[in-house]
Amino acid sequence: MIILLNASSSPQIISETELFINESLLEMQNGDNLIVVILRKDSQEFLGCSGIHELNSKCPAAGIWLKKSAHGYGYGVEAIAALKKWADDNLDYEYLIYPVDRANIPSRKIPERLGGQIFREYEQINLSSNILHLVEYRIPKK
């Protein structure tokens, strides 16, 4: 599972959120993924979640979802930079894959700030059955 910033609609019913949490916990217990929540430092307000998927591969995927009111404050860069540092310190990998909607320029700046380069472009259908035009970045290990 890859979480894309602004790529899919928010859960409409609580059971969708519960399913995501339960699946994330299972994937972390299995050692497949690392999923974290993003909170404001001063208030502990929930801003979103982020993760690294396929931890044991040579090219794990990073992703993020932030609620709309948290966009534009640098939380995405801060979260992905922290996950990348964790990956650099704890994983044996070549690069992180970071897919992002081609039209989402602010989200594209996240991997670019971390040294990511475009590797490929493709289309994918999201949970809302919309076609996404994705740009896949590769962020190298330092």
Side-chain angles (χ1 to χ4, degrees), residues 69-115:
S69 63
H71 292 187
Y73 294 96
Y75 300 129
V77 171
E78 185 177 353
I80 296 298
L83 283 174
K84 183 177 180 331
K85 181 181 179 342
W86 181 88
D88 288 349
D89 293 345
N90 294 284
L91 299 178
D92 178 23
Y93 76 101
E94 295 176 19
Y95 54 85
L96 293 176
I97 295 172
Y98 192 89
V100 63
D101 190 314
R102 181 175 51 213
N104 192 335
I105 301 304
S107 292
R108 290 180 63 172
K109 291 180 181 179
I110 294 172
E112 291 169 0
R113 283 186 168 176
L114 299 173

Tab-separated table of all heavy atoms in Angstrom, residues 69-115:
chain	number	residue	atom	x	y	z
A	69	SER	N	-6.084	20.990	5.778
A	69	SER	CA	-5.713	22.152	6.584
A	69	SER	C	-4.238	22.152	6.978
A	69	SER	O	-3.715	23.171	7.432
A	69	SER	CB	-6.584	22.241	7.840
A	69	SER	OG	-6.376	21.112	8.676
A	70	ALA	N	-3.543	21.040	6.765
A	70	ALA	CA	-2.118	20.947	7.091
A	70	ALA	C	-1.220	21.175	5.878
A	70	ALA	O	0.002	21.198	6.007
A	70	ALA	CB	-1.810	19.588	7.715
A	71	HIS	N	-1.805	21.361	4.714
A	71	HIS	CA	-1.014	21.591	3.506
A	71	HIS	C	-0.351	22.964	3.554
A	71	HIS	O	-0.924	23.930	4.059
A	71	HIS	CB	-1.897	21.511	2.257
A	71	HIS	CG	-2.416	20.139	1.984
A	71	HIS	ND1	-3.109	19.834	0.841
A	71	HIS	CD2	-2.355	18.979	2.687
A	71	HIS	CE1	-3.447	18.560	0.852
A	71	HIS	NE2	-3.000	18.021	1.971
A	72	GLY	N	0.851	23.045	3.002
A	72	GLY	CA	1.526	24.323	2.832
A	72	GLY	C	2.367	24.795	4.008
A	72	GLY	O	2.869	25.916	3.996
A	73	TYR	N	2.557	23.956	5.010
A	73	TYR	CA	3.319	24.354	6.192
A	73	TYR	C	4.656	23.629	6.315
A	73	TYR	O	5.355	23.789	7.307
A	73	TYR	CB	2.493	24.114	7.466
A	73	TYR	CG	1.272	24.993	7.543
A	73	TYR	CD1	0.034	24.510	7.121
A	73	TYR	CD2	1.359	26.292	8.002
A	73	TYR	CE1	-1.093	25.311	7.179
A	73	TYR	CE2	0.241	27.101	8.074
A	73	TYR	CZ	-0.983	26.597	7.653
A	73	TYR	OH	-2.093	27.402	7.707
A	74	GLY	N	4.996	22.790	5.353
A	74	GLY	CA	6.255	22.062	5.391
A	74	GLY	C	6.215	20.760	6.165
A	74	GLY	O	7.247	20.103	6.342
A	75	TYR	N	5.025	20.361	6.636
A	75	TYR	CA	4.920	19.113	7.400
A	75	TYR	C	5.299	17.896	6.558
A	75	TYR	O	5.895	16.945	7.064
A	75	TYR	CB	3.511	18.919	7.956
A	75	TYR	CG	3.043	20.012	8.880
A	75	TYR	CD1	1.813	20.622	8.679
A	75	TYR	CD2	3.807	20.421	9.966
A	75	TYR	CE1	1.359	21.618	9.530
A	75	TYR	CE2	3.364	21.416	10.822
A	75	TYR	CZ	2.138	22.018	10.595
A	75	TYR	OH	1.697	23.002	11.433
A	76	GLY	N	4.942	17.927	5.286
A	76	GLY	CA	5.239	16.795	4.413
A	76	GLY	C	6.732	16.580	4.250
A	76	GLY	O	7.226	15.458	4.368
A	77	VAL	N	7.459	17.660	3.988
A	77	VAL	CA	8.916	17.557	3.844
A	77	VAL	C	9.529	17.086	5.152
A	77	VAL	O	10.398	16.211	5.164
A	77	VAL	CB	9.528	18.910	3.419
A	77	VAL	CG1	11.046	18.861	3.478
A	77	VAL	CG2	9.069	19.298	2.036
A	78	GLU	N	9.083	17.654	6.263
A	78	GLU	CA	9.622	17.264	7.565
A	78	GLU	C	9.386	15.778	7.846
A	78	GLU	O	10.288	15.069	8.301
A	78	GLU	CB	8.990	18.122	8.662
A	78	GLU	CG	9.569	17.894	10.038
A	78	GLU	CD	8.972	18.795	11.101
A	78	GLU	OE1	8.189	19.717	10.775
A	78	GLU	OE2	9.291	18.564	12.280
A	79	ALA	N	8.188	15.306	7.559
A	79	ALA	CA	7.859	13.901	7.827
A	79	ALA	C	8.660	12.955	6.935
A	79	ALA	O	9.237	11.972	7.420
A	79	ALA	CB	6.362	13.667	7.636
A	80	ILE	N	8.702	13.220	5.644
A	80	ILE	CA	9.423	12.331	4.732
A	80	ILE	C	10.931	12.396	4.988
A	80	ILE	O	11.620	11.367	4.931
A	80	ILE	CB	9.080	12.641	3.262
A	80	ILE	CG1	7.592	12.375	2.996
A	80	ILE	CG2	9.952	11.834	2.302
A	80	ILE	CD1	7.160	10.927	3.197
A	81	ALA	N	11.457	13.569	5.324
A	81	ALA	CA	12.883	13.675	5.661
A	81	ALA	C	13.200	12.839	6.904
A	81	ALA	O	14.245	12.171	6.955
A	81	ALA	CB	13.277	15.132	5.874
A	82	ALA	N	12.309	12.860	7.902
A	82	ALA	CA	12.533	12.060	9.114
A	82	ALA	C	12.472	10.563	8.794
A	82	ALA	O	13.299	9.788	9.295
A	82	ALA	CB	11.499	12.424	10.177
A	83	LEU	N	11.528	10.159	7.958
A	83	LEU	CA	11.453	8.748	7.571
A	83	LEU	C	12.677	8.332	6.759
A	83	LEU	O	13.197	7.231	6.924
A	83	LEU	CB	10.179	8.473	6.780
A	83	LEU	CG	8.902	8.385	7.605
A	83	LEU	CD1	7.693	8.262	6.687
A	83	LEU	CD2	8.950	7.224	8.581
A	84	LYS	N	13.138	9.211	5.883
A	84	LYS	CA	14.328	8.898	5.092
A	84	LYS	C	15.535	8.748	6.001
A	84	LYS	O	16.344	7.827	5.830
A	84	LYS	CB	14.594	9.959	4.039
A	84	LYS	CG	15.805	9.571	3.190
A	84	LYS	CD	16.076	10.544	2.104
A	84	LYS	CE	17.262	10.182	1.259
A	84	LYS	NZ	18.333	9.420	1.851
A	85	LYS	N	15.684	9.619	6.989
A	85	LYS	CA	16.792	9.493	7.934
A	85	LYS	C	16.706	8.155	8.665
A	85	LYS	O	17.707	7.465	8.825
A	85	LYS	CB	16.812	10.640	8.940
A	85	LYS	CG	17.981	10.516	9.904
A	85	LYS	CD	18.036	11.604	10.913
A	85	LYS	CE	19.184	11.481	11.890
A	85	LYS	NZ	19.870	10.239	12.052
A	86	TRP	N	15.496	7.783	9.091
A	86	TRP	CA	15.320	6.486	9.753
A	86	TRP	C	15.728	5.358	8.805
A	86	TRP	O	16.438	4.434	9.206
A	86	TRP	CB	13.867	6.311	10.202
A	86	TRP	CG	13.662	5.001	10.891
A	86	TRP	CD1	13.821	4.731	12.225
A	86	TRP	CD2	13.289	3.757	10.264
A	86	TRP	NE1	13.571	3.391	12.460
A	86	TRP	CE2	13.248	2.777	11.277
A	86	TRP	CE3	12.996	3.386	8.961
A	86	TRP	CZ2	12.914	1.447	11.026
A	86	TRP	CZ3	12.671	2.067	8.706
A	86	TRP	CH2	12.623	1.110	9.728
A	87	ALA	N	15.284	5.441	7.552
A	87	ALA	CA	15.629	4.408	6.568
A	87	ALA	C	17.138	4.355	6.345
A	87	ALA	O	17.723	3.268	6.293
A	87	ALA	CB	14.904	4.666	5.251
A	88	ASP	N	17.782	5.516	6.220
A	88	ASP	CA	19.232	5.552	6.017
A	88	ASP	C	19.964	4.878	7.176
A	88	ASP	O	20.964	4.192	6.975
A	88	ASP	CB	19.722	6.994	5.871
A	88	ASP	CG	19.337	7.631	4.543
A	88	ASP	OD1	18.870	6.918	3.633
A	88	ASP	OD2	19.500	8.855	4.427
A	89	ASP	N	19.460	5.074	8.386
A	89	ASP	CA	20.093	4.524	9.586
A	89	ASP	C	19.761	3.050	9.837
A	89	ASP	O	20.509	2.365	10.525
A	89	ASP	CB	19.681	5.327	10.828
A	89	ASP	CG	20.221	6.750	10.823
A	89	ASP	OD1	21.135	7.060	10.036
A	89	ASP	OD2	19.703	7.567	11.612
A	90	ASN	N	18.628	2.571	9.305
A	90	ASN	CA	18.138	1.249	9.697
A	90	ASN	C	17.911	0.249	8.579
A	90	ASN	O	17.704	-0.933	8.871
A	90	ASN	CB	16.818	1.399	10.471
A	90	ASN	CG	17.031	2.107	11.782
A	90	ASN	OD1	17.536	1.539	12.737
A	90	ASN	ND2	16.655	3.385	11.834
A	91	LEU	N	17.903	0.683	7.335
A	91	LEU	CA	17.584	-0.224	6.238
A	91	LEU	C	18.743	-0.354	5.262
A	91	LEU	O	19.501	0.600	5.054
A	91	LEU	CB	16.346	0.266	5.471
A	91	LEU	CG	15.043	0.387	6.240
A	91	LEU	CD1	13.951	0.927	5.323
A	91	LEU	CD2	14.629	-0.942	6.849
A	92	ASP	N	18.839	-1.504	4.642
A	92	ASP	CA	19.790	-1.738	3.570
A	92	ASP	C	19.018	-1.590	2.260
A	92	ASP	O	18.358	-2.528	1.809
A	92	ASP	CB	20.395	-3.136	3.689
A	92	ASP	CG	21.366	-3.450	2.569
A	92	ASP	OD1	21.911	-2.503	1.961
A	92	ASP	OD2	21.562	-4.647	2.295
A	93	TYR	N	19.049	-0.407	1.684
A	93	TYR	CA	18.281	-0.136	0.469
A	93	TYR	C	19.113	0.703	-0.491
A	93	TYR	O	20.113	1.308	-0.101
A	93	TYR	CB	16.958	0.559	0.811
A	93	TYR	CG	17.076	2.022	1.172
A	93	TYR	CD1	16.769	3.013	0.236
A	93	TYR	CD2	17.469	2.439	2.432
A	93	TYR	CE1	16.864	4.357	0.548
A	93	TYR	CE2	17.555	3.777	2.768
A	93	TYR	CZ	17.260	4.733	1.820
A	93	TYR	OH	17.358	6.076	2.140
A	94	GLU	N	18.678	0.756	-1.746
A	94	GLU	CA	19.356	1.557	-2.761
A	94	GLU	C	18.713	2.931	-2.914
A	94	GLU	O	19.400	3.937	-3.035
A	94	GLU	CB	19.349	0.831	-4.102
A	94	GLU	CG	20.159	-0.449	-4.092
A	94	GLU	CD	20.070	-1.208	-5.395
A	94	GLU	OE1	19.689	-0.612	-6.425
A	94	GLU	OE2	20.385	-2.417	-5.384
A	95	TYR	N	17.386	2.959	-2.940
A	95	TYR	CA	16.652	4.209	-3.087
A	95	TYR	C	15.236	4.011	-2.585
A	95	TYR	O	14.726	2.886	-2.526
A	95	TYR	CB	16.638	4.694	-4.546
A	95	TYR	CG	16.122	3.666	-5.514
A	95	TYR	CD1	14.757	3.522	-5.746
A	95	TYR	CD2	16.984	2.825	-6.200
A	95	TYR	CE1	14.273	2.555	-6.619
A	95	TYR	CE2	16.520	1.865	-7.074
A	95	TYR	CZ	15.164	1.738	-7.280
A	95	TYR	OH	14.689	0.791	-8.135
A	96	LEU	N	14.598	5.113	-2.204
A	96	LEU	CA	13.181	5.098	-1.859
A	96	LEU	C	12.383	5.469	-3.093
A	96	LEU	O	12.758	6.392	-3.829
A	96	LEU	CB	12.867	6.114	-0.756
A	96	LEU	CG	13.445	5.868	0.629
A	96	LEU	CD1	13.114	7.039	1.550
A	96	LEU	CD2	12.920	4.573	1.203
A	97	ILE	N	11.304	4.762	-3.324
A	97	ILE	CA	10.364	5.125	-4.378
A	97	ILE	C	9.362	6.104	-3.769
A	97	ILE	O	8.872	5.887	-2.658
A	97	ILE	CB	9.631	3.883	-4.904
A	97	ILE	CG1	10.620	2.950	-5.588
A	97	ILE	CG2	8.483	4.276	-5.836
A	97	ILE	CD1	10.023	1.609	-5.972
A	98	TYR	N	9.077	7.186	-4.483
A	98	TYR	CA	8.127	8.174	-3.981
A	98	TYR	C	7.196	8.593	-5.119
A	98	TYR	O	7.527	9.465	-5.917
A	98	TYR	CB	8.861	9.393	-3.412
A	98	TYR	CG	7.960	10.297	-2.627
A	98	TYR	CD1	7.758	10.098	-1.276
A	98	TYR	CD2	7.276	11.345	-3.242
A	98	TYR	CE1	6.916	10.920	-0.540
A	98	TYR	CE2	6.437	12.168	-2.522
A	98	TYR	CZ	6.264	11.955	-1.178
A	98	TYR	OH	5.420	12.767	-0.462
A	99	PRO	N	6.026	7.956	-5.236
A	99	PRO	CA	5.080	8.340	-6.288
A	99	PRO	C	4.244	9.542	-5.851
A	99	PRO	O	3.878	9.662	-4.673
A	99	PRO	CB	4.205	7.097	-6.442
A	99	PRO	CG	4.274	6.419	-5.113
A	99	PRO	CD	5.591	6.775	-4.498
A	100	VAL	N	3.951	10.418	-6.793
A	100	VAL	CA	3.160	11.605	-6.494
A	100	VAL	C	2.368	12.004	-7.735
A	100	VAL	O	2.799	11.765	-8.859
A	100	VAL	CB	4.083	12.758	-6.001
A	100	VAL	CG1	5.063	13.179	-7.051
A	100	VAL	CG2	3.291	13.937	-5.480
A	101	ASP	N	1.195	12.575	-7.521
A	101	ASP	CA	0.368	13.043	-8.631
A	101	ASP	C	1.135	14.104	-9.418
A	101	ASP	O	1.638	15.068	-8.849
A	101	ASP	CB	-0.944	13.613	-8.088
A	101	ASP	CG	-1.960	13.888	-9.170
A	101	ASP	OD1	-1.598	14.486	-10.209
A	101	ASP	OD2	-3.125	13.524	-8.982
A	102	ARG	N	1.222	13.917	-10.722
A	102	ARG	CA	1.988	14.815	-11.587
A	102	ARG	C	1.557	16.273	-11.434
A	102	ARG	O	2.383	17.186	-11.459
A	102	ARG	CB	1.842	14.373	-13.045
A	102	ARG	CG	2.608	15.232	-14.014
A	102	ARG	CD	2.552	14.730	-15.433
A	102	ARG	NE	1.184	14.480	-15.870
A	102	ARG	CZ	0.837	13.526	-16.722
A	102	ARG	NH1	1.735	12.730	-17.234
A	102	ARG	NH2	-0.412	13.368	-17.070
A	103	ALA	N	0.274	16.514	-11.230
A	103	ALA	CA	-0.238	17.883	-11.140
A	103	ALA	C	-0.034	18.514	-9.761
A	103	ALA	O	-0.232	19.721	-9.607
A	103	ALA	CB	-1.721	17.905	-11.494
A	104	ASN	N	0.363	17.737	-8.774
A	104	ASN	CA	0.497	18.248	-7.413
A	104	ASN	C	1.916	18.777	-7.199
A	104	ASN	O	2.780	18.116	-6.625
A	104	ASN	CB	0.158	17.143	-6.404
A	104	ASN	CG	-0.002	17.671	-5.012
A	104	ASN	OD1	0.538	18.706	-4.651
A	104	ASN	ND2	-0.741	16.928	-4.206
A	105	ILE	N	2.138	20.002	-7.653
A	105	ILE	CA	3.476	20.608	-7.623
A	105	ILE	C	4.023	20.714	-6.196
A	105	ILE	O	5.191	20.368	-5.963
A	105	ILE	CB	3.477	21.980	-8.326
A	105	ILE	CG1	3.026	21.830	-9.793
A	105	ILE	CG2	4.850	22.644	-8.234
A	105	ILE	CD1	3.825	20.858	-10.619
A	106	PRO	N	3.235	21.159	-5.201
A	106	PRO	CA	3.792	21.208	-3.842
A	106	PRO	C	4.263	19.843	-3.343
A	106	PRO	O	5.308	19.739	-2.694
A	106	PRO	CB	2.626	21.733	-2.993
A	106	PRO	CG	1.796	22.520	-3.945
A	106	PRO	CD	1.899	21.766	-5.256
A	107	SER	N	3.535	18.782	-3.668
A	107	SER	CA	3.938	17.436	-3.245
A	107	SER	C	5.173	16.958	-3.991
A	107	SER	O	5.971	16.193	-3.448
A	107	SER	CB	2.800	16.447	-3.456
A	107	SER	OG	1.753	16.729	-2.576
A	108	ARG	N	5.341	17.398	-5.208
A	108	ARG	CA	6.515	16.999	-5.986
A	108	ARG	C	7.786	17.615	-5.412
A	108	ARG	O	8.882	17.078	-5.582
A	108	ARG	CB	6.341	17.388	-7.448
A	108	ARG	CG	5.272	16.549	-8.137
A	108	ARG	CD	5.085	16.917	-9.561
A	108	ARG	NE	6.305	16.668	-10.330
A	108	ARG	CZ	6.371	16.754	-11.636
A	108	ARG	NH1	5.299	17.072	-12.340
A	108	ARG	NH2	7.496	16.524	-12.269
A	109	LYS	N	7.643	18.720	-4.708
A	109	LYS	CA	8.816	19.369	-4.113
A	109	LYS	C	9.399	18.551	-2.962
A	109	LYS	O	10.576	18.695	-2.637
A	109	LYS	CB	8.459	20.776	-3.650
A	109	LYS	CG	8.192	21.707	-4.810
A	109	LYS	CD	7.844	23.094	-4.357
A	109	LYS	CE	7.554	23.971	-5.567
A	109	LYS	NZ	7.180	25.323	-5.178
A	110	ILE	N	8.587	17.671	-2.362
A	110	ILE	CA	9.078	16.857	-1.247
A	110	ILE	C	10.235	15.966	-1.695
A	110	ILE	O	11.340	16.070	-1.151
A	110	ILE	CB	7.933	16.052	-0.597
A	110	ILE	CG1	6.939	17.001	0.078
A	110	ILE	CG2	8.496	15.040	0.402
A	110	ILE	CD1	5.668	16.320	0.577
A	111	PRO	N	10.036	15.092	-2.670
A	111	PRO	CA	11.177	14.241	-3.068
A	111	PRO	C	12.302	15.052	-3.717
A	111	PRO	O	13.476	14.701	-3.563
A	111	PRO	CB	10.559	13.246	-4.053
A	111	PRO	CG	9.352	13.946	-4.590
A	111	PRO	CD	8.835	14.773	-3.444
A	112	GLU	N	11.953	16.125	-4.410
A	112	GLU	CA	12.987	16.934	-5.053
A	112	GLU	C	13.914	17.566	-4.021
A	112	GLU	O	15.127	17.631	-4.219
A	112	GLU	CB	12.345	17.986	-5.955
A	112	GLU	CG	11.686	17.356	-7.182
A	112	GLU	CD	10.806	18.302	-7.979
A	112	GLU	OE1	10.680	19.486	-7.608
A	112	GLU	OE2	10.232	17.841	-8.998
A	113	ARG	N	13.352	18.026	-2.897
A	113	ARG	CA	14.179	18.593	-1.822
A	113	ARG	C	15.098	17.557	-1.187
A	113	ARG	O	16.105	17.906	-0.585
A	113	ARG	CB	13.298	19.202	-0.740
A	113	ARG	CG	12.723	20.523	-1.106
A	113	ARG	CD	12.013	21.093	0.077
A	113	ARG	NE	11.702	22.482	-0.155
A	113	ARG	CZ	11.016	23.228	0.672
A	113	ARG	NH1	10.554	22.705	1.801
A	113	ARG	NH2	10.779	24.485	0.402
A	114	LEU	N	14.730	16.290	-1.306
A	114	LEU	CA	15.519	15.209	-0.709
A	114	LEU	C	16.426	14.526	-1.728
A	114	LEU	O	16.929	13.439	-1.479
A	114	LEU	CB	14.578	14.199	-0.046
A	114	LEU	CG	13.729	14.771	1.093
A	114	LEU	CD1	12.706	13.755	1.562
A	114	LEU	CD2	14.604	15.234	2.241
A	115	GLY	N	16.619	15.160	-2.878
A	115	GLY	CA	17.514	14.620	-3.894
A	115	GLY	C	16.870	13.638	-4.847
A	115	GLY	O	17.569	12.975	-5.617
